[in-house]
Amino acid sequence: MKNLALHWQILIGMVLGIIFGIIASNIGIDWFVNDWIAPLGTIFIKLLKLIAIPLILASLIKGIADLQDISKFSAIGGKTILIYICSTLIAIVIGLTIVNVVNPGDGISQATIDTLTENYANSSSIQKKMDTANSTADAGPLQFLIDIVPDNIFKATADNGSMLQVIFFAILFGIGLLLIDPNKAKPVIDFVDGFNEVILKIVDLIMLIAPYAVFALLAKVIVTSNDPDLLLSLLTYAATVVAGLLCMVAIYMTIIALYVKKSPLWYLKQISPAQLLAFSTSSSAATLPVTMERVTEHVGVDKEVSSFVLPVGATINMDGTSLYQAVAAVFICTALKHDITFADQLTIVLTALLASIGSAAVPGAGMVMLVIVLESIGFPADKLAIGLALIFAVDRPLDMCRTVINVTGDATVATMIAKMEGKLGTPKVKDWDDHYQKTATT
Ligand code: ASP
């Protein structure tokens, strides 16, 4: 197994995890998976999250300090936000187009709606999602700006949900470094640089257990998944979302081929471990350290670009999530016979865009923001729980797929911006044991 490329190792781990999960469910040893296998997956996700904040801090401060000029930073910053907004808009329009053409909500029978409502409408997870959505919606329109500014950096770094606050501080710190006497800045930059290398090395170390961890994660997903019959009744809806997501992959790969001028297959191979982890963890935040490592070392994007574009993307750019929200909103409305006009569809474009910016990069976050999208088009509040119940059974597999697109979108935009800025170089792959032999023998 050791000589196989990492993406093959992870893929084998995933397939074996699925097979093991199916066998475990069938012979009734779900408890064994939950008690003895799943913890490895949880530990792996915790390890990835553990290094996310230090990685953002170190790489972003170093990236900005290396720019040597604040105007370069604002140029990259402006382009990044603009391209992210455009890619999300494209995703939403694709989602709306496909759902209007396929119209999966039409084929849902009353019996299926009743079963799904009975199974899920009162479930605590759905209620929790609606409560979270309501508290988000109650906030003022500029609340997100207020939330970006931390009032205590230690508090911000202590919470993985405050990634934008950490990014804000790192940008300020980097700008400060650019503006002080270079002799004073140098030791700080050298320290941050070394710190950044250490964190990237820790990513390599954590990835050593990735194939086993994805085995555990997928076995757990299988033993906790829903009744296959229910999944089947939502097949057309799920296929519509997946078709939209595949269109996004086609768009990204066209950009890689035509603009970046690299082979899409080569590109996918370089970033595939990040995509496979996105699929297994359903969290672009947990995947971020690996995305950064792959895009920087394996694709050749300069740290100056990747250190800003990727963490910002993980928090505000969710093409897969917004496409899913567009499809899910129209699907729920059609299935529950709530008429939507063309103006409503335009409202969906706007709210799904804002929701993509506001969604946390964690499992299931897209469904929370879906509530806000539905409310914006006047979907009756008393039917919300039923609406969510309709799509709940397939939410986890779709979450896994949309997270892959979220991560692929971020990686593609980072590569595109690097190309634009002349910051796309030759990949320099570093293995976890590059210096190990040297140290061991001297
Ligand atoms: N799980 C997604 C992510 O972390 C967010 C969502 O769509 O629920 O990117």
Side-chain angles (χ1 to χ4, degrees):
M1 183 108 154
K2 263 196 181 148
N3 295 329
L4 271 182
L6 183 62
H7 58 276
W8 286 119
Q9 295 184 26
I10 298 180
L11 213 59
I12 293 172
M14 288 167 73
V15 173
L16 292 180
I18 293 174
I19 298 175
F20 188 79
I22 295 174
I23 296 175
S25 305
N26 280 315
I27 61 173
I29 54 161
D30 302 19
W31 61 269
F32 179 76
V33 173
N34 285 326
D35 291 352
W36 293 98
I37 308 271
L40 178 63
T42 313
I43 291 173
F44 178 67
I45 294 187
K46 284 179 88 173
L47 284 172
L48 287 172
K49 287 186 174 165
L50 167 73
I51 50 169
I53 297 272
L55 181 63
I56 294 175
L57 264 179
S59 64
L60 195 48
I61 293 174
K62 169 79 173 55
I64 294 177
D66 279 351
L67 283 175
Q68 285 159 359
D69 178 358
I70 305 177
S71 61
K72 276 196 210 157
F73 170 68
S74 43
I76 292 186
K79 279 179 203 159
T80 304
I81 307 285
L82 201 73
I83 298 179
Y84 276 152
I85 292 180
C86 291
S87 70
T88 307
L89 283 176
I90 293 174
I92 301 169
V93 171
I94 290 182
L96 282 178
T97 313
I98 297 199
V99 73
N100 280 300
V101 172
V102 180
N103 207 357
D106 233 10
I108 292 283
S109 68
Q110 192 54 44
T112 310
I113 295 178
D114 292 345
T115 324
L116 291 167
T117 310
E118 198 180 306
N119 278 357
Y120 300 113
N122 293 320
S123 85
S124 60
S125 344
I126 286 196
Q127 291 306 328
K128 221 159 74 205
K129 285 190 195 312
M130 287 178 25
D131 292 345
T132 318
N134 286 336
S135 55
T136 315
D138 285 347
L142 292 185
Q143 186 60 38
F144 78 100
L145 275 184
I146 300 175
D147 289 344
I148 290 176
V149 184
D151 56 2
N152 182 329
I153 186 57
F154 296 103
K155 213 163 92 193
T157 49
D159 174 10
N160 280 328
S162 304
M163 239 185 248
L164 279 180
Q165 296 194 344
V166 176
I167 292 174
F168 182 88
F169 176 77
I171 293 174
L172 267 189
F173 196 93
I175 293 177
L177 273 181
L178 280 178
L179 294 176
I180 62 170
D181 173 358
N183 290 325
K184 296 235 164 77
K186 187 166 181 315
V188 184
I189 296 177
D190 285 346
F191 169 76
V192 174
D193 194 19
F195 187 78
N196 192 24
E197 290 286 318
V198 174
I199 301 287
L200 282 173
K201 195 54 73 184
I202 299 180
V203 178
D204 290 339
L205 290 176
I206 297 174
M207 287 306 279
L208 292 176
I209 61 161
Y212 310 99
V214 293
F215 172 88
L217 287 166
L218 287 193
K220 159 101 178 160
V221 166
I222 298 290
V223 297
T224 45
S225 76
N226 298 291
D227 176 358
D229 286 345
L230 276 185
L231 298 188
L232 228 56
S233 65
L234 294 171
L235 204 61
T236 324
Y237 156 69
T240 312
V241 176
V242 173
L245 297 178
L246 288 176
C247 288
M248 287 312 290
V249 178
I251 293 179
Y252 298 143
M253 289 310 113
T254 311
I255 294 173
I256 295 297
L258 300 183
Y259 182 71
V260 181
K261 305 225 171 347
K262 297 261 184 209
S263 141
L265 273 184
W266 172 85
Y267 189 78
L268 285 176
K269 206 164 133 198
Q270 304 313 307
I271 62 162
S272 55
Q275 293 174 311
L276 295 173
L277 283 194
F279 185 81
S280 311
T281 60
S282 285
S283 165
S284 21
T287 313
L288 179 64
V290 183
T291 319
M292 287 183 73
E293 197 245 12
R294 298 307 296 189
V295 169
T296 314
E297 291 181 10
H298 294 253
V299 175
V301 172
D302 199 295
K303 273 197 208 124
E304 287 168 20
V305 173
S306 61
S307 64
F308 172 71
V309 180
L310 291 173
V312 169
T315 22
I316 70 162
N317 181 53
M318 299 199 180
D319 298 348
T321 301
S322 45
L323 185 146
Y324 144 85
Q325 282 165 343
V327 175
V330 175
F331 169 75
I332 291 174
C333 289
T334 334
L336 296 181
K337 316 268 177 294
H338 174 76
D339 282 341
I340 39 173
T341 60
F342 185 68
D344 287 336
Q345 306 232 13
L346 289 181
T347 311
I348 293 179
V349 174
L350 197 71
T351 40
L353 173 67
L354 295 177
S356 138
I357 297 174
S359 296
V362 295
M367 206 173 177
V368 172
M369 298 312 262
L370 176 64
V371 175
I372 297 178
V373 174
L374 282 170
E375 280 171 346
S376 74
I377 51 169
F379 189 80
D382 57 328
K383 279 196 189 166
L384 266 176
I386 303 176
L388 294 191
L390 262 191
I391 56 164
F392 196 71
V394 278
D395 196 61
R396 179 67 194 208
L398 290 183
D399 193 359
M400 296 160 90
C401 299
R402 63 191 190 239
T403 309
V404 175
I405 301 304
N406 291 345
V407 167
T408 312
D410 297 344
T412 308
V413 173
T415 314
M416 203 175 147
I417 290 185
K419 175 83 183 172
M420 250 176 227
E421 300 294 314
K423 300 269 177 205
L424 187 62
T426 326
K428 281 187 211 77
V429 180
K430 294 180 189 158
D431 284 324
W432 74 271
D433 54 357
D434 282 349
H435 298 275
Y436 182 64
Q437 299 296 18
K438 245 188 270 167
T439 329
T441 50
T442 50

